[in-house]
Amino acid sequence: MDKRLARFKDCDSRFYPYLEKVLERLPGEAKENLLNNTDLQIIADENLLDMCVLWCEFDYPVKNLVYLNMKVLMEPEHQLVYTLAHELAHYVSGEGETEQAERKVEDLLNAWGFEKEIEAVRYDRAIAGSQAYQTGYAWAKKQSEDYLVQHFGLYFDQWNEKGLKTMSREQFDKLQSQAGATAILGDMARTKKQDYGESKEDTIASTLPRDEAIIAGIMAAVKEVKFQDLYGTRGCTVRDK
């Protein structure tokens, strides 16, 4: 790990490997600027929401401060990488939060080679707000942790690193089959839309297979299990939407 990352001393160290993954993919000049420009700081603390006051003392004047919600750690890795790259691109571009600024940021991300992450995150967001996704997640939370890891862990790494969209139909079908839950998922997928309710996200996702949204919800629950196994009781529950 680049020792210069340590200057983000108020950023939870669990973000460091992902920051490094992003920085390694940037052009040399952009990477060096981000590591050396001390006017940029990043804050992430798991106790932040419980504190009345958070005191940070910086070694140099700070012009740009990025706050990372700890919940981001429990998102799929490709989403986490995208989030970090997106914020760093905002800093490099010097743009604000306008629609035009977002276009410039996306252009910069494309120039840096994050096209696949952009596509995967767009796909994820299209289904993450759907009721089918929430139904899959709720079903998974009723299962034992061992059951989830055993039956849905086969393609977890691919989903986590690259997104559901990268799975072939054969892989997706095998995931359902290995889970031994094809009938349950089929019943869910056939549930009428009025039973689900319809949101803006559902409308956006109307062209996407509902079984994929259900699987995405289940895999999100698997991510929580693996995160908790890795870090114990530390961290936070992200699905409190």
Side-chain angles (χ1 to χ4, degrees):
M1 186 184 79
D2 194 307
K3 294 181 179 179
R4 288 174 292 180
L5 283 175
R7 73 178 183 81
F8 300 121
K9 54 187 177 62
D10 294 297
C11 178
D12 190 291
S13 61
R14 284 174 282 182
F15 280 102
Y16 286 4
Y18 303 106
L19 279 168
E20 189 160 48
K21 282 187 177 184
V22 171
L23 290 167
E24 285 175 350
R25 294 172 58 180
L26 302 190
E29 183 177 356
K31 175 182 177 180
E32 291 303 306
N33 285 340
L34 284 162
L35 284 170
N36 294 326
N37 286 349
T38 55
D39 65 352
L40 170 68
Q41 269 294 341
I42 301 174
I43 289 179
D45 190 304
E46 67 178 343
N47 298 311
L48 185 58
L49 296 180
D50 298 324
M51 297 176 180
C52 294
V53 176
L54 175 66
W55 178 271
C56 298
E57 184 174 348
F58 302 115
D59 297 326
Y60 303 93
V62 174
K63 294 182 180 179
N64 297 273
L65 183 64
V66 177
Y67 162 65
L68 296 173
N69 192 313
M70 294 296 294
K71 295 177 181 181
V72 176
L73 281 173
M74 294 186 49
E75 296 294 347
E77 183 177 315
H78 62 275
Q79 288 190 21
L80 204 165
V81 167
Y82 168 84
T83 297
L84 296 175
H86 181 270
E87 294 310 311
L88 294 180
H90 260 294
Y91 171 76
V92 171
S93 69
E95 299 287 345
E97 297 292 336
T98 66
E99 184 176 341
Q100 182 179 5
E102 285 298 323
R103 285 198 294 270
K104 290 184 178 180
V105 166
E106 186 164 313
D107 288 343
L108 188 54
L109 288 174
N110 278 306
W112 285 349
F114 289 92
E115 303 97 329
K116 291 183 178 179
E117 283 80 6
I118 292 173
E119 183 180 1
V121 168
R122 281 177 178 168
Y123 185 83
D124 291 345
R125 288 176 176 173
I127 63 177
S130 68
Q131 190 60 44
Y133 176 97
Q134 299 297 333
T135 299
Y137 176 78
W139 177 85
K141 294 298 285 184
K142 295 176 182 178
Q143 315 307 311
S144 71
E145 293 182 356
D146 288 342
Y147 177 89
L148 289 178
V149 173
Q150 179 181 354
H151 295 296
F152 289 91
L154 180 63
Y155 293 114
F156 173 81
D157 289 340
Q158 182 174 345
W159 168 83
N160 187 48
E161 295 174 12
K162 300 180 180 180
L164 189 66
K165 188 174 177 60
T166 64
M167 290 186 185
S168 67
R169 189 70 234 180
E170 180 181 359
Q171 289 174 319
F172 186 81
D173 290 344
K174 192 172 182 179
L175 176 60
Q176 287 189 328
S177 175
Q178 295 231 355
T182 304
I184 296 173
L185 298 178
D187 288 343
M188 290 180 179
R190 287 192 295 271
T191 300
K192 295 179 180 179
K193 179 163 286 190
Q194 57 263 33
D195 294 332
Y196 279 107
E198 186 171 2
S199 64
K200 179 180 178 182
E201 291 79 7
D202 285 315
T203 301
I204 294 172
S206 60
T207 60
L208 301 173
R210 181 152 291 165
D211 57 349
E212 293 188 15
I214 292 168
I215 287 292
I218 293 172
M219 297 301 278
V222 177
K223 173 81 175 187
E224 290 185 9
V225 172
K226 287 183 172 288
F227 185 92
Q228 290 162 5
D229 285 346
L230 186 61
Y231 297 112
T233 57
R234 296 183 67 201
C236 52
T237 301
V238 299
R239 304 294 166 182
D240 53 359
K241 303 173 184 176

